[in-house]
Amino acid sequence: MRAYRVFMLPRSLVFYQWHAEPMRAPFRPSEVATRLAAEAVGDPKFLVLKGKEVTTAVSVVDVGDDSRPTRLQLLALRTEDQHPTQWQPGGKIDILPVLAGHYPADVSHVTLWPDGIAGQDLHKNAPRPGRLSFFLRSKLAQYVSFEPLYNPDMFEKLLRMRGSLRSVEIGITRPDYSSRDAGILETFMPGAFGPKAPSLRVKVGIGRFRPKNEYLEQPLEDAAFEAAERAHDIVDTLIISGYDPQVGKIDTINLTKQRLKVEVDLPRDKAVPALPNADATFTELDKAHRSYVDQGTFARALRTQVFHDYE
């Protein structure tokens, strides 16, 4: 097994629901990808979006159509002042040479299926779909959101905790990626930091020595559920604890560990061994998507994820 994994790359295939922003034009992946590919023919630099702190690129692999998925490569790029360095024992640190017009890049493969599901091969440095939303909004005035899909059983447990939350730990990063009004910032972010804080991690809760039947006030609980339901573009950590009447005790849910995902080992690309083979990656994404559709998992996840149906 150890020798086998030397030639393979471990990846998590993670799934989302994509949908157009409210009050915006319908989002059609194949049409958007066709526009992006056409723009790149006349100006390849159109594929790059430079920001103040991060630079993102999107490459079209297959535009797809109404019955076939759209396939993209989403890249987090490092500009000249962010180039990695190289070092060897006994030597000195030096810049890692990069050709002019090239970028060091972290790559993720993204598939958008016509049924409203999206998937990507997730790894430690992979850019998240929030960057794809931001790119399309900035470059093509296309408004799309990506909401993670969770284990349906986890969401049912979370709903049982409603009204009895004891603590919430939330990590907020890159609020400018969000295409919606992130009202949770006003609740969880101290006013001294302001909206320009690049990231923030906050934990609020009832102290250990407080009565066991004392729970978070309604505004904090509402903000926690809003984060779980709506603010996926900007929240990268969300851990909630509360009383679960079904088990009769306080329980904890780490939403980041309850995502719908499949662990796979992918063959390396022959030309770039640090990357998985793109064709194999998209094939595995298709297989996992088909399996979840056949099992009805996506339908259950979407049904239980809509909080308003339970209110």
Side-chain angles (χ1 to χ4, degrees):
M1 183 64 178
R2 184 177 301 173
Y4 164 77
R5 287 183 66 88
V6 170
F7 300 102
M8 308 292 280
L9 284 175
R11 289 290 187 267
S12 297
L13 306 183
V14 180
F15 293 90
Y16 310 79
Q17 178 192 22
W18 65 259
H19 58 81
E21 287 290 322
M23 309 301 292
R24 299 288 183 177
F27 181 81
R28 296 184 173 86
S30 60
E31 293 182 7
V32 173
T34 298
R35 283 183 56 194
L36 182 58
E39 292 282 359
V41 170
D43 178 15
K45 293 182 179 180
F46 187 84
L47 299 177
V48 177
L49 176 64
K50 293 184 177 181
K52 293 181 179 179
E53 298 180 17
V54 296
T55 300
T56 303
V58 177
S59 177
V60 177
V61 177
D62 186 349
V63 298
D65 55 34
D66 290 340
S67 60
R68 293 187 304 110
T70 297
R71 299 186 173 104
L72 310 170
Q73 285 182 323
L74 177 63
L75 302 93
L77 307 181
R78 299 184 188 181
T79 54
E80 291 183 1
D81 58 342
Q82 299 170 326
H83 278 187
T85 57
Q86 62 178 343
W87 174 83
Q88 65 175 0
K92 65 177 182 178
I93 297 177
D94 198 1
I95 190 169
L96 191 67
V98 177
L99 295 175
H102 290 63
Y103 298 87
D106 295 308
V107 184
S108 182
H109 301 81
V110 178
T111 300
L112 307 178
W113 288 273
D115 62 0
I117 300 296
Q120 73 168 144
D121 61 321
L122 197 61
H123 55 92
K124 181 179 180 181
N125 297 315
R128 298 329 194 240
R131 289 177 74 155
L132 177 57
S133 295
F134 188 64
F135 178 94
L136 295 177
R137 187 164 73 246
S138 302
K139 288 286 188 174
L140 298 174
Q142 292 290 316
Y143 292 79
V144 60
S145 291
F146 295 92
E147 300 185 355
L149 294 173
Y150 297 105
N151 182 324
D153 294 336
M154 180 280 302
F155 247 72
E156 291 165 0
K157 177 188 285 289
L158 190 59
L159 288 167
R160 293 197 301 267
M161 291 180 178
R162 190 152 207 172
S164 304
L165 297 191
R166 291 282 292 185
S167 70
V168 177
E169 182 176 353
I170 185 170
I172 300 171
T173 186
R174 303 304 311 165
D176 51 321
Y177 288 162
S178 179
S179 56
R180 64 194 76 186
D181 178 24
I184 61 166
L185 291 176
E186 298 177 1
T187 302
F188 286 106
M189 180 177 286
F193 288 97
K196 294 183 179 180
S199 63
L200 181 70
R201 193 180 184 97
V202 175
K203 183 174 183 178
V204 294
I206 305 299
R208 290 184 300 169
F209 301 106
R210 304 293 296 175
K212 292 184 178 180
N213 62 348
E214 185 174 342
Y215 304 112
L216 293 181
E217 295 181 355
Q218 192 69 42
L220 285 171
E221 178 176 287
D222 290 345
F225 274 77
E226 182 184 356
E229 181 186 9
R230 302 181 184 281
H232 308 296
D233 325 48
I234 61 172
V235 172
D236 62 3
T237 300
L238 186 57
I239 302 173
I240 296 175
S241 70
Y243 179 76
D244 182 352
Q246 183 166 303
V247 298
K249 64 177 183 178
I250 302 295
D251 207 347
T252 298
I253 298 174
N254 185 338
L255 272 77
T256 59
K257 296 185 180 300
Q258 294 290 337
R259 303 280 297 278
L260 280 188
K261 63 181 179 180
V262 177
E263 303 295 338
V264 296
D265 288 305
L266 299 171
R268 295 176 184 268
D269 184 271
K270 292 182 178 179
V272 188
L275 295 180
N277 176 271
D279 289 340
T281 303
F282 287 122
T283 296
E284 289 297 324
L285 282 165
D286 284 338
K287 287 171 56 179
H289 172 268
R290 185 165 53 251
S291 176
Y292 276 142
V293 169
D294 292 344
Q295 297 171 31
T297 306
F298 287 138
R300 284 189 63 216
L302 291 169
R303 187 165 57 248
T304 58
Q305 194 161 320
V306 180
F307 286 108
H308 298 300
D309 289 348
Y310 292 83
E311 295 179 342

